Amino acid sequence: MLSIGRLGILTGGGDAPGLNAVIRAVVKTSSNAGIECLGVEDSFDGLLEANRSRPLTPRDVTGILRLGGTILGTVNTGNPFAASVATSAGTRVYSERVVEMFHKMGLDALIAIGGDGTLAIAYQFCELGIPIVGVPKTIDNDIVGTTNCFGFETAVAFATDAIDRLHTTAEAHRRILIVEVMGRYAGWIALHSGVAGGADAILIPEIPFDLAIVARRLRDRDAWGAKFSIVVAAEGAYPKGGALSLIEPAHDRRAERLGGIGARVAEALARETGKETRSVVLGHLQRGGAPTSFDRVLATRFGGKAVELVLRGEFGTMVAFAPPDIIARPLKEIVGKTQTVPMNSDLLMTAKALGVTFGD
Ligand code: F6P
Protein backbone atom coordinates (compact mmCIF):
# COMPACT_ATOMS: atom_id res chain seq x y z
CA MET A 1 0.00 0.00 0.00
CA LEU A 2 1.20 3.51 -0.84
CA SER A 3 1.35 6.24 1.74
CA ILE A 4 -1.07 8.88 0.47
CA GLY A 5 -1.42 12.07 2.47
CA ARG A 6 -3.63 14.22 0.30
CA LEU A 7 -6.05 13.06 -2.39
CA GLY A 8 -7.80 15.37 -4.86
CA ILE A 9 -11.21 14.61 -6.30
CA LEU A 10 -12.97 16.33 -9.21
CA THR A 11 -16.03 15.92 -11.41
CA GLY A 12 -16.00 16.73 -15.14
CA GLY A 13 -18.35 16.67 -18.13
CA GLY A 14 -22.15 16.71 -18.04
CA ASP A 15 -23.53 15.91 -14.61
CA ALA A 16 -25.19 12.57 -13.88
CA PRO A 17 -27.16 11.39 -10.85
CA GLY A 18 -24.72 9.59 -8.56
CA LEU A 19 -21.78 12.01 -8.76
CA ASN A 20 -22.32 13.09 -5.17
CA ALA A 21 -22.60 9.46 -4.09
CA VAL A 22 -19.11 8.81 -5.51
CA ILE A 23 -17.72 11.92 -3.80
CA ARG A 24 -19.22 10.81 -0.50
CA ALA A 25 -17.80 7.29 -0.84
CA VAL A 26 -14.33 8.61 -1.72
CA VAL A 27 -14.28 11.12 1.16
CA LYS A 28 -15.52 8.65 3.78
CA THR A 29 -13.28 5.79 2.62
CA SER A 30 -10.18 7.94 2.42
CA SER A 31 -10.88 9.62 5.74
CA ASN A 32 -11.11 6.19 7.38
CA ALA A 33 -7.77 5.35 5.77
CA GLY A 34 -6.18 8.51 7.22
CA ILE A 35 -6.10 10.39 3.89
CA GLU A 36 -7.03 14.06 3.59
CA CYS A 37 -9.42 14.74 0.73
CA LEU A 38 -9.39 17.94 -1.32
CA GLY A 39 -12.48 18.73 -3.41
CA VAL A 40 -11.34 20.36 -6.68
CA GLU A 41 -14.00 22.62 -8.17
CA ASP A 42 -15.17 22.75 -11.80
CA SER A 43 -13.24 19.80 -13.18
CA PHE A 44 -9.53 20.36 -13.99
CA ASP A 45 -10.13 24.14 -13.97
CA GLY A 46 -10.07 23.85 -10.18
CA LEU A 47 -6.37 23.03 -10.37
CA LEU A 48 -5.51 26.34 -12.05
CA GLU A 49 -5.61 28.27 -8.76
CA ALA A 50 -5.12 27.16 -5.16
CA ASN A 51 -8.33 28.88 -4.07
CA ARG A 52 -10.52 26.73 -6.33
CA SER A 53 -10.56 23.70 -4.06
CA ARG A 54 -11.59 22.93 -0.49
CA PRO A 55 -10.95 20.19 2.06
CA LEU A 56 -13.78 17.67 2.27
CA THR A 57 -14.43 15.82 5.51
CA PRO A 58 -17.08 13.19 6.22
CA ARG A 59 -19.11 16.04 7.75
CA ASP A 60 -19.09 17.89 4.40
CA VAL A 61 -20.54 14.93 2.52
CA THR A 62 -23.19 13.92 5.01
CA GLY A 63 -26.59 13.89 3.31
CA ILE A 64 -25.39 14.15 -0.31
CA LEU A 65 -25.85 10.47 -1.23
CA ARG A 66 -29.31 11.11 -2.65
CA LEU A 67 -28.60 14.46 -4.31
CA GLY A 68 -28.34 14.93 -8.09
CA GLY A 69 -25.75 17.30 -9.55
CA THR A 70 -22.29 17.61 -8.00
CA ILE A 71 -21.20 19.61 -4.97
CA LEU A 72 -17.91 20.31 -6.79
CA GLY A 73 -19.36 21.84 -9.95
CA THR A 74 -18.49 20.60 -13.42
CA VAL A 75 -17.47 21.80 -16.86
CA ASN A 76 -18.14 20.23 -20.26
CA THR A 77 -16.45 22.58 -22.67
CA GLY A 78 -14.06 20.15 -24.30
CA ASN A 79 -10.39 19.47 -23.83
CA PRO A 80 -8.38 22.56 -22.80
CA PHE A 81 -5.13 20.59 -22.47
CA ALA A 82 -2.95 22.62 -24.81
CA ALA A 83 -4.87 25.90 -24.58
CA SER A 84 -3.53 29.14 -23.14
CA VAL A 85 -5.23 30.25 -19.98
CA ALA A 86 -5.16 33.44 -17.88
CA THR A 87 -4.02 32.68 -14.31
CA SER A 88 -2.87 34.72 -11.32
CA ALA A 89 0.66 33.87 -12.51
CA GLY A 90 0.03 35.28 -16.00
CA THR A 91 -0.95 33.52 -19.23
CA ARG A 92 0.06 29.87 -19.07
CA VAL A 93 -0.38 26.64 -21.00
CA TYR A 94 -3.36 24.94 -19.30
CA SER A 95 -1.72 21.53 -18.81
CA GLU A 96 1.54 22.98 -17.49
CA ARG A 97 -0.29 25.13 -14.96
CA VAL A 98 -2.37 22.16 -13.75
CA VAL A 99 0.72 19.98 -13.26
CA GLU A 100 2.50 22.80 -11.40
CA MET A 101 -0.47 23.47 -9.12
CA PHE A 102 -1.07 19.76 -8.47
CA HIS A 103 2.38 19.60 -6.87
CA LYS A 104 2.16 23.02 -5.19
CA MET A 105 -1.11 22.02 -3.56
CA GLY A 106 0.63 19.01 -2.02
CA LEU A 107 -1.55 16.45 -3.77
CA ASP A 108 -0.33 12.86 -3.96
CA ALA A 109 -3.05 11.53 -6.26
CA LEU A 110 -6.28 12.49 -8.00
CA ILE A 111 -9.61 10.80 -8.60
CA ALA A 112 -11.30 12.14 -11.75
CA ILE A 113 -14.99 11.32 -12.17
CA GLY A 114 -16.20 11.93 -15.69
CA GLY A 115 -17.27 10.76 -19.10
CA ASP A 116 -15.18 10.03 -22.18
CA GLY A 117 -13.96 13.65 -22.44
CA THR A 118 -12.84 13.96 -18.83
CA LEU A 119 -11.26 10.49 -18.85
CA ALA A 120 -9.33 11.39 -22.03
CA ILE A 121 -7.99 14.53 -20.31
CA ALA A 122 -7.19 12.43 -17.22
CA TYR A 123 -5.21 10.04 -19.39
CA GLN A 124 -3.23 12.92 -20.88
CA PHE A 125 -2.36 14.15 -17.37
CA CYS A 126 -1.34 10.62 -16.36
CA GLU A 127 1.13 10.71 -19.25
CA LEU A 128 2.55 13.90 -17.70
CA GLY A 129 3.06 12.09 -14.41
CA ILE A 130 -0.05 12.97 -12.40
CA PRO A 131 -1.21 9.79 -10.61
CA ILE A 132 -4.91 9.53 -11.52
CA VAL A 133 -7.68 6.97 -11.09
CA GLY A 134 -10.77 7.56 -13.26
CA VAL A 135 -14.41 6.87 -12.41
CA PRO A 136 -16.77 6.53 -15.39
CA LYS A 137 -19.99 8.56 -15.33
CA THR A 138 -22.59 9.32 -17.93
CA ILE A 139 -26.30 8.91 -18.38
CA ASP A 140 -25.48 7.87 -21.98
CA ASN A 141 -23.81 4.61 -20.81
CA ASP A 142 -21.43 4.87 -23.76
CA ILE A 143 -18.07 4.34 -22.02
CA VAL A 144 -16.33 1.17 -23.12
CA GLY A 145 -15.07 -1.38 -20.61
CA THR A 146 -17.85 -0.99 -18.06
CA THR A 147 -21.25 -2.63 -18.29
CA ASN A 148 -22.88 0.32 -16.55
CA CYS A 149 -22.08 3.90 -15.70
CA PHE A 150 -23.97 5.37 -12.76
CA GLY A 151 -26.62 7.84 -13.87
CA PHE A 152 -27.81 5.66 -16.73
CA GLU A 153 -30.34 3.70 -14.71
CA THR A 154 -31.75 6.90 -13.21
CA ALA A 155 -32.15 8.45 -16.66
CA VAL A 156 -33.84 5.31 -17.97
CA ALA A 157 -36.21 5.23 -14.97
CA PHE A 158 -37.19 8.84 -15.58
CA ALA A 159 -37.72 8.29 -19.31
CA THR A 160 -39.77 5.16 -18.60
CA ASP A 161 -42.00 7.10 -16.22
CA ALA A 162 -42.46 9.80 -18.90
CA ILE A 163 -43.39 7.17 -21.49
CA ASP A 164 -45.92 5.64 -19.07
CA ARG A 165 -47.54 9.06 -18.66
CA LEU A 166 -47.60 9.69 -22.40
CA HIS A 167 -49.21 6.30 -23.03
CA THR A 168 -52.45 7.31 -21.33
CA THR A 169 -52.84 10.62 -23.15
CA ALA A 170 -51.80 9.06 -26.49
CA GLU A 171 -54.44 6.39 -26.05
CA ALA A 172 -57.13 8.86 -24.97
CA HIS A 173 -56.58 11.02 -28.07
CA ARG A 174 -55.61 8.20 -30.43
CA ARG A 175 -52.42 10.01 -31.27
CA ILE A 176 -48.84 9.13 -32.05
CA LEU A 177 -46.52 10.41 -29.32
CA ILE A 178 -42.81 10.76 -30.02
CA VAL A 179 -40.46 10.94 -27.04
CA GLU A 180 -36.95 12.27 -27.71
CA VAL A 181 -34.36 11.07 -25.20
CA MET A 182 -30.67 11.87 -24.69
CA GLY A 183 -27.76 9.53 -25.30
CA ARG A 184 -25.57 11.36 -27.80
CA TYR A 185 -24.31 8.85 -30.41
CA ALA A 186 -25.50 5.76 -28.52
CA GLY A 187 -29.03 4.40 -28.27
CA TRP A 188 -28.85 2.88 -24.77
CA ILE A 189 -31.34 5.21 -23.08
CA ALA A 190 -33.78 4.93 -26.00
CA LEU A 191 -33.49 1.14 -26.15
CA HIS A 192 -33.88 0.52 -22.43
CA SER A 193 -36.63 3.08 -21.77
CA GLY A 194 -38.37 2.12 -24.99
CA VAL A 195 -38.53 -1.53 -23.99
CA ALA A 196 -39.40 -0.72 -20.36
CA GLY A 197 -42.13 1.68 -21.50
CA GLY A 198 -43.54 -0.64 -24.17
CA ALA A 199 -42.78 1.62 -27.16
CA ASP A 200 -43.93 0.53 -30.61
CA ALA A 201 -40.96 2.03 -32.42
CA ILE A 202 -37.47 2.81 -31.10
CA LEU A 203 -35.10 4.87 -33.19
CA ILE A 204 -31.41 4.66 -32.29
CA PRO A 205 -28.23 6.08 -33.86
CA GLU A 206 -26.87 2.59 -34.48
CA ILE A 207 -29.72 1.84 -36.93
CA PRO A 208 -30.47 4.62 -39.45
CA PHE A 209 -34.24 4.39 -39.85
CA ASP A 210 -36.59 4.25 -42.84
CA LEU A 211 -39.61 6.34 -41.94
CA ALA A 212 -41.87 4.43 -44.36
CA ILE A 213 -41.17 1.25 -42.35
CA VAL A 214 -42.00 2.99 -39.07
CA ALA A 215 -45.21 4.46 -40.54
CA ARG A 216 -46.28 1.05 -41.87
CA ARG A 217 -45.87 -0.49 -38.43
CA LEU A 218 -47.98 2.26 -36.83
CA ARG A 219 -50.68 1.93 -39.51
CA ASP A 220 -50.77 -1.82 -38.81
CA ARG A 221 -51.48 -1.04 -35.17
CA ASP A 222 -54.40 1.13 -36.24
CA ALA A 223 -55.66 -1.66 -38.47
CA TRP A 224 -55.89 -4.13 -35.58
CA GLY A 225 -57.46 -1.61 -33.28
CA ALA A 226 -54.66 0.01 -31.30
CA LYS A 227 -55.32 3.54 -32.43
CA PHE A 228 -52.34 5.11 -30.70
CA SER A 229 -48.60 4.57 -30.76
CA ILE A 230 -45.49 5.50 -28.85
CA VAL A 231 -42.18 6.17 -30.61
CA VAL A 232 -38.96 6.67 -28.64
CA ALA A 233 -36.27 8.50 -30.59
CA ALA A 234 -32.69 8.85 -29.39
CA GLU A 235 -31.40 12.38 -29.96
CA GLY A 236 -28.69 10.87 -32.17
CA ALA A 237 -31.07 8.87 -34.38
CA TYR A 238 -31.20 9.84 -38.06
CA PRO A 239 -32.93 8.65 -41.22
CA LYS A 240 -31.23 6.37 -43.75
CA GLY A 241 -29.25 8.60 -46.09
CA GLY A 242 -30.03 11.59 -43.86
CA ALA A 243 -28.12 13.59 -41.27
CA LEU A 244 -28.08 14.06 -37.49
CA SER A 245 -30.44 16.73 -36.12
CA LEU A 246 -28.40 19.48 -34.51
CA ILE A 247 -29.44 22.32 -32.22
CA GLU A 248 -25.97 23.83 -32.50
CA PRO A 249 -22.83 22.75 -34.40
CA ALA A 250 -19.52 22.29 -32.58
CA HIS A 251 -17.67 25.53 -31.85
CA ASP A 252 -14.97 26.87 -29.50
CA ARG A 253 -14.17 23.45 -27.99
CA ARG A 254 -17.88 22.85 -27.40
CA ALA A 255 -19.25 19.61 -28.79
CA GLU A 256 -22.15 19.76 -31.22
CA ARG A 257 -25.54 19.79 -29.50
CA LEU A 258 -27.92 17.11 -30.72
CA GLY A 259 -31.67 17.59 -30.74
CA GLY A 260 -34.75 18.03 -32.85
CA ILE A 261 -35.16 14.54 -34.28
CA GLY A 262 -38.39 14.00 -32.29
CA ALA A 263 -40.11 16.97 -33.92
CA ARG A 264 -38.87 15.96 -37.36
CA VAL A 265 -40.14 12.41 -36.96
CA ALA A 266 -43.47 13.70 -35.61
CA GLU A 267 -43.98 15.90 -38.66
CA ALA A 268 -43.06 13.13 -41.08
CA LEU A 269 -45.24 10.52 -39.34
CA ALA A 270 -48.22 12.89 -39.37
CA ARG A 271 -47.76 13.21 -43.13
CA GLU A 272 -47.30 9.48 -43.70
CA THR A 273 -50.08 8.21 -41.45
CA GLY A 274 -52.61 11.07 -41.49
CA LYS A 275 -52.75 10.82 -37.70
CA GLU A 276 -52.32 13.55 -35.12
CA THR A 277 -48.82 13.44 -33.65
CA ARG A 278 -47.12 15.24 -30.79
CA SER A 279 -43.49 15.20 -29.70
CA VAL A 280 -41.88 15.68 -26.29
CA VAL A 281 -38.19 16.32 -25.56
CA LEU A 282 -37.15 15.01 -22.13
CA GLY A 283 -33.84 16.92 -22.26
CA HIS A 284 -31.99 17.71 -19.07
CA LEU A 285 -34.77 16.35 -16.86
CA GLN A 286 -33.04 13.02 -17.52
CA ARG A 287 -29.91 14.29 -15.76
CA GLY A 288 -31.59 15.72 -12.69
CA GLY A 289 -33.10 14.33 -9.53
CA ALA A 290 -32.10 11.69 -7.05
CA PRO A 291 -30.14 8.67 -8.25
CA THR A 292 -31.95 5.34 -8.14
CA SER A 293 -30.85 2.82 -5.52
CA PHE A 294 -28.95 0.90 -8.22
CA ASP A 295 -27.00 4.02 -9.20
CA ARG A 296 -26.32 4.92 -5.55
CA VAL A 297 -24.90 1.46 -4.93
CA LEU A 298 -22.84 1.48 -8.14
CA ALA A 299 -21.51 4.99 -7.43
CA THR A 300 -20.62 4.00 -3.87
CA ARG A 301 -18.81 0.87 -5.07
CA PHE A 302 -16.95 2.91 -7.70
CA GLY A 303 -15.86 5.46 -5.08
CA GLY A 304 -14.66 2.81 -2.65
CA LYS A 305 -12.78 0.93 -5.37
CA ALA A 306 -11.16 4.13 -6.65
CA VAL A 307 -9.63 4.79 -3.22
CA GLU A 308 -8.45 1.18 -3.07
CA LEU A 309 -6.70 1.60 -6.45
CA VAL A 310 -5.08 4.84 -5.24
CA LEU A 311 -3.74 3.03 -2.17
CA ARG A 312 -2.43 0.21 -4.36
CA GLY A 313 -0.76 2.71 -6.66
CA GLU A 314 -2.75 1.46 -9.66
CA PHE A 315 -2.81 4.76 -11.53
CA GLY A 316 -3.79 5.38 -15.15
CA THR A 317 -6.77 3.15 -14.55
CA MET A 318 -10.55 3.47 -14.46
CA VAL A 319 -12.89 1.58 -12.15
CA ALA A 320 -15.40 -0.48 -14.10
CA PHE A 321 -18.44 -2.65 -13.50
CA ALA A 322 -17.91 -6.19 -14.77
CA PRO A 323 -20.84 -7.92 -13.03
CA PRO A 324 -20.71 -8.97 -10.31
CA ASP A 325 -17.34 -7.28 -9.70
CA ILE A 326 -15.88 -3.80 -9.73
CA ILE A 327 -12.53 -4.02 -11.49
CA ALA A 328 -9.76 -1.76 -12.81
CA ARG A 329 -9.22 -1.13 -16.53
CA PRO A 330 -6.32 0.78 -18.09
CA LEU A 331 -7.49 4.26 -19.21
CA LYS A 332 -5.45 3.72 -22.36
CA GLU A 333 -7.88 0.98 -23.44
CA ILE A 334 -10.98 3.10 -23.14
CA VAL A 335 -10.13 6.63 -24.31
CA GLY A 336 -11.34 7.73 -27.71
CA LYS A 337 -13.86 4.89 -27.97
CA THR A 338 -17.65 4.83 -27.73
CA GLN A 339 -19.73 1.90 -26.54
CA THR A 340 -22.73 1.77 -28.85
CA VAL A 341 -25.56 -0.77 -28.95
CA PRO A 342 -24.23 -3.86 -30.75
CA MET A 343 -26.45 -5.39 -33.42
CA ASN A 344 -26.39 -8.72 -31.59
CA SER A 345 -27.58 -7.11 -28.34
CA ASP A 346 -29.96 -9.47 -26.62
CA LEU A 347 -32.30 -6.63 -25.70
CA LEU A 348 -32.36 -5.30 -29.26
CA MET A 349 -33.16 -8.74 -30.66
CA THR A 350 -35.79 -9.39 -27.99
CA ALA A 351 -37.51 -6.09 -28.79
CA LYS A 352 -37.50 -6.92 -32.51
CA ALA A 353 -38.93 -10.36 -31.80
CA LEU A 354 -41.71 -8.67 -29.85
CA GLY A 355 -42.59 -6.59 -32.89
CA VAL A 356 -40.96 -3.31 -31.95
CA THR A 357 -39.72 -1.62 -35.12
CA PHE A 358 -36.35 0.11 -35.35
CA GLY A 359 -37.16 1.36 -38.81
CA ASP A 360 -34.89 -1.17 -40.52
O1 F6P B 1 -23.47 13.23 -22.27
C1 F6P B 1 -24.60 13.53 -21.50
C2 F6P B 1 -25.54 14.43 -22.28
O2 F6P B 1 -26.67 14.67 -21.47
C3 F6P B 1 -25.96 13.90 -23.65
O3 F6P B 1 -26.93 12.88 -23.56
C4 F6P B 1 -26.41 15.17 -24.31
O4 F6P B 1 -26.29 15.08 -25.71
C5 F6P B 1 -25.45 16.19 -23.76
O5 F6P B 1 -24.93 15.67 -22.56
C6 F6P B 1 -26.06 17.53 -23.50
O6 F6P B 1 -25.05 18.39 -23.11
P1 F6P B 1 -25.33 19.84 -22.50
O7 F6P B 1 -25.59 19.66 -21.04
O8 F6P B 1 -24.08 20.58 -22.78
O9 F6P B 1 -26.53 20.41 -23.20
Side-chain angles (χ1 to χ4, degrees), residues 175 189 322:
R175 286 170 169 161
I189 298 178

Side-chain angles (χ1 to χ4, degrees), residues 2 18 57 102 105 111 168-169 222 231 265 271 276 286 320 327 336 359:
L2 289 186
T57 65
F102 175 85
M105 287 156 66
I111 291 179
T168 52
T169 176
D222 262 27
V231 178
V265 167
R271 244 190 348 260
E276 266 200 311
Q286 293 159 97
I327 60 164

Side-chain angles (χ1 to χ4, degrees), residues 14 76 138-140 182-184 235 254 257-258 284 287:
N76 69 342
T138 170
I139 64 163
D140 304 337
M182 282 186 165
R184 221 177 263 282
E235 61 179 0
R254 280 190 173 272
R257 289 179 60 208
L258 304 178
H284 291 79
R287 295 224 307 247

Side-chain angles (χ1 to χ4, degrees), residues 260-319:
I261 188 65
R264 282 174 57 185
V265 167
E267 222 181 280
L269 283 177
R271 244 190 348 260
E272 291 269 336
T273 63
K275 287 183 73 74
E276 266 200 311
T277 62
R278 296 286 187 271
S279 66
V280 175
V281 181
L282 298 187
H284 291 79
L285 290 167
Q286 293 159 97
R287 295 224 307 247
T292 59
S293 51
F294 176 87
D295 279 340
R296 293 181 202 193
V297 170
L298 184 62
T300 300
R301 294 178 76 191
F302 275 178
K305 184 71 178 186
V307 175
E308 183 193 314
L309 294 180
V310 165
L311 285 167
R312 286 182 191 279
E314 291 187 35
F315 299 114
T317 55
M318 172 190 93
V319 299

Side-chain angles (χ1 to χ4, degrees), residues 48-297:
L48 293 173
E49 302 290 345
N51 63 2
R52 293 185 66 175
S53 52
R54 59 185 193 271
L56 291 178
T57 65
R59 179 73 195 93
D60 298 307
V61 295
T62 296
I64 69 169
L65 174 63
R66 63 185 178 280
L67 298 185
T70 159
I71 60 165
L72 293 175
T74 187
V75 169
N76 69 342
T77 44
N79 189 340
F81 200 77
S84 295
V85 61
T87 74
S88 56
T91 302
R92 301 287 305 278
V93 175
Y94 188 97
S95 52
E96 289 170 9
R97 174 70 174 174
V98 165
V99 173
E100 174 194 323
M101 291 307 293
F102 175 85
H103 296 298
K104 274 198 176 148
M105 287 156 66
L107 289 165
D108 298 310
L110 191 63
I111 291 179
I113 315 167
D116 48 0
T118 305
L119 295 174
I121 300 171
Y123 178 62
Q124 284 180 284
F125 279 119
C126 283
E127 297 280 278
L128 291 186
I130 297 191
I132 301 184
V133 170
V135 177
K137 95 40 261 190
T138 170
I139 64 163
D140 304 337
N141 212 39
D142 61 354
I143 298 179
V144 300
T146 182
T147 307
N148 277 77
C149 296
F150 64 86
F152 170 63
E153 216 244 356
T154 307
V156 168
F158 176 81
T160 303
D161 182 47
I163 296 167
D164 286 350
R165 287 162 188 266
L166 292 168
H167 247 113
T168 52
T169 176
E171 185 164 15
H173 286 266
R174 295 160 184 239
R175 286 170 169 161
I176 298 172
L177 250 300
I178 292 93
V179 189
E180 181 180 310
V181 297
M182 282 186 165
R184 221 177 263 282
Y185 309 109
W188 295 108
I189 298 178
L191 177 61
H192 281 250
S193 64
V195 170
D200 308 296
I202 301 175
L203 309 179
I204 59 175
E206 293 83 350
I207 306 178
F209 61 86
D210 179 338
L211 204 96
I213 294 177
V214 179
R216 194 184 318 139
R217 167 85 179 98
L218 304 192
R219 276 196 301 266
D220 284 353
R221 278 176 55 78
D222 262 27
W224 59 256
K227 305 263 181 223
F228 73 98
S229 293
I230 301 284
V231 178
V232 175
E235 61 179 0
Y238 58 94
K240 254 183 207 154
L244 281 172
S245 287
L246 293 186
I247 297 176
E248 205 181 357
H251 65 94
D252 305 326
R253 281 212 311 271
R254 280 190 173 272
E256 61 188 8
R257 289 179 60 208
L258 304 178
I261 188 65
R264 282 174 57 185
V265 167
E267 222 181 280
L269 283 177
R271 244 190 348 260
E272 291 269 336
T273 63
K275 287 183 73 74
E276 266 200 311
T277 62
R278 296 286 187 271
S279 66
V280 175
V281 181
L282 298 187
H284 291 79
L285 290 167
Q286 293 159 97
R287 295 224 307 247
T292 59
S293 51
F294 176 87
D295 279 340
R296 293 181 202 193
V297 170

